[in-house]
Amino acid sequence: MTRTRLLAAGAFLAVLAVWTWKLLEPSPVPASVRELISVHDWLPFVLSKTLHLAGYTVLTVLAYVAAPNRGWRIAAIAFLLLHGIGTEIGQTFVPNRSGSTRDVLIDWAGVALGLAAMWFFARIRTDARTLSPA
């Protein structure tokens, strides 16, 4: 395993662990932060949904980089899609939390955004190789 893949795998596991913990915690946002962002009624909602999107985007990019081949990438993406469903189901059993189909769709949009980013960077890399003199 290359150093880059190893670092990406470690980062993926660390981010996944923290992300799962925060998604299944009864009060994921500290009271001081909650008070700070409650200046507008819409701000906590927007920040929460943005975190869902960004969290799964980052996890997808890390999983993509860590995976040694296409089969592992497909498995990692399937895992993240199921993780989005599983954490929302898990939230229905956590006090002060509730599962949401909307959040699953936002999670999946994050996965799609991560895949689009990886496609874009792969495309740039391919074009750079094509244009460079041999």
Side-chain angles (χ1 to χ4, degrees):
M1 183 176 265
T2 67
R3 181 179 164 99
T4 301
R5 281 203 175 98
L6 190 59
L7 288 172
F12 173 81
L13 292 173
V15 171
L16 180 67
V18 171
W19 186 241
T20 303
W21 165 50
K22 294 310 268 182
L23 286 173
L24 296 175
E25 187 179 22
S27 298
V29 181
S32 59
V33 174
R34 197 170 39 252
E35 183 179 311
L36 184 66
I37 65 174
S38 294
V39 294
H40 299 288
D41 291 340
W42 53 268
L43 190 55
F45 174 81
V46 170
L47 290 175
S48 168
K49 303 317 164 197
T50 301
L51 278 171
H52 271 270
L53 184 75
Y56 280 93
T57 300
V58 167
L59 284 167
T60 300
V61 169
L62 290 171
Y64 194 93
V65 172
N69 58 45
R70 189 170 192 258
W72 279 101
R73 287 184 186 124
I74 291 169
I77 298 313
F79 170 78
L80 288 173
L81 295 173
L82 292 173
H83 184 271
I85 295 169
T87 55
E88 291 303 317
I89 291 170
Q91 285 178 8
T92 64
F93 300 101
V94 177
N96 301 325
R97 302 299 297 265
S98 61
S100 167
T101 303
R102 174 184 53 217
D103 285 352
V104 171
L105 295 175
I106 294 169
D107 298 344
W108 289 358
V111 171
L113 186 59
L115 287 172
M118 293 314 299
W119 175 85
F120 178 75
F121 290 124
R123 178 72 187 223
I124 288 174
R125 192 171 163 191
T126 301
D127 289 348
R129 277 195 221 140
T130 304
L131 296 175
S132 67

